[in-house]
Amino acid sequence: MKAKFIARVMQIMNELGWNDTESNAFIGSDTTKVKGHIESVFVDAWRKAVNMLPKTYFTINDFSNHKLVPDVPMGTGYIVLPEDFYILASFKMKGWQVAAETLIDSSDPIARIQANEYTRGNVVRPVCVLNSKGIKERIGENITLAAKNVIEYYSLPKGYKHIVEEALYIPLIPTLDNEPRLSDKLFVPLAYLCASQVFYIFEKPDIAQVLENKATEIIH
């Protein structure tokens, strides 16, 4: 996958003349250097792709079996997130009419509203907040307190049983060195975004923007 992906990015760049010996676009650059740049921008390009492309283009994992800490009397609670969590795809508690697809940061004003039981999210318009909590973990015979990212969910009727109906997320992709698996849908748009990022490095923003636009045009 790594070699194939780099070759596709190089092909895109070749079409724009990055290796044209009569051009001063990449003075001092060579194939090895460009390949290194492709590897270095890979994760950044992937992050940009997550914000630009449909979620169905990415690997989606389930975390419904992760530690759930409900506050049944208040109708709220939280679920511990996986270590490789990057972005929420969908979260739904049993009893909600719709799933939440957006995760609000704890610093957002909307997050502060959730402290008020009369203005917080409900079964019709649920709200999920990204926060950090100290979670007890047993290591051998010792119990430690580790900071973990969690989703605080709002809310359910007071006294209602808390059951996770759906919990899906997009995991952070590893570096290109680890040969990540890319879906057929994502392969080409991500190659264009990688090429775009490299052109930004070489201070060619106009070409970079053209390639970034191309990445969204080829969505199918």
Side-chain angles (χ1 to χ4, degrees), residues 130-149:
L130 175 64
N131 212 334
S132 179
K133 291 187 179 293
I135 306 297
K136 290 182 180 179
E137 291 185 336
R138 179 178 291 276
I139 301 177
E141 297 181 355
N142 299 318
I143 296 178
T144 62
L145 197 64
K148 299 282 186 180
N149 286 332

Side-chain angles (χ1 to χ4, degrees), residues 78-92:
Y78 63 86
I79 184 171
V80 178
L81 289 170
E83 295 294 334
D84 63 349
F85 179 91
Y86 182 70
I87 196 170
L88 183 68
S90 179
F91 183 79
K92 186 174 186 293

Side-chain angles (χ1 to χ4, degrees), residues 182-198:
L182 304 175
S183 70
D184 292 339
K185 289 181 181 179
L186 179 60
F187 191 91
V188 175
L190 184 55
Y192 272 94
L193 288 174
C194 267
S196 171
Q197 293 294 99
V198 175

Side-chain angles (χ1 to χ4, degrees), residues 56-71:
T56 53
Y57 279 49
F58 302 87
T59 298
I60 294 180
N61 292 345
D62 187 294
F63 67 102
S64 58
N65 62 343
H66 276 234
K67 183 180 180 65
L68 179 72
V69 182
D71 186 343

Side-chain angles (χ1 to χ4, degrees), residues 47-158:
R47 290 175 186 266
K48 185 180 285 287
V50 172
N51 294 324
M52 295 173 60
L53 306 177
K55 291 179 179 178
T56 53
Y57 279 49
F58 302 87
T59 298
I60 294 180
N61 292 345
D62 187 294
F63 67 102
S64 58
N65 62 343
H66 276 234
K67 183 180 180 65
L68 179 72
V69 182
D71 186 343
V72 175
M74 291 302 296
T76 65
Y78 63 86
I79 184 171
V80 178
L81 289 170
E83 295 294 334
D84 63 349
F85 179 91
Y86 182 70
I87 196 170
L88 183 68
S90 179
F91 183 79
K92 186 174 186 293
M93 296 298 292
K94 188 174 182 180
W96 285 2
Q97 294 184 19
V98 296
E101 297 182 348
T102 303
L103 190 55
I104 299 168
D105 190 80
S106 59
S107 62
D108 191 292
I110 295 176
R112 292 194 289 272
I113 292 174
Q114 306 314 306
N116 186 325
E117 63 178 294
Y118 300 106
T119 58
R120 67 174 48 138
N122 50 49
V123 297
V124 179
R125 295 183 181 86
V127 173
C128 287
V129 175
L130 175 64
N131 212 334
S132 179
K133 291 187 179 293
I135 306 297
K136 290 182 180 179
E137 291 185 336
R138 179 178 291 276
I139 301 177
E141 297 181 355
N142 299 318
I143 296 178
T144 62
L145 197 64
K148 299 282 186 180
N149 286 332
V150 304
I151 286 181
E152 297 175 330
Y153 56 86
Y154 303 90
S155 62
L156 287 165
K158 293 180 179 180

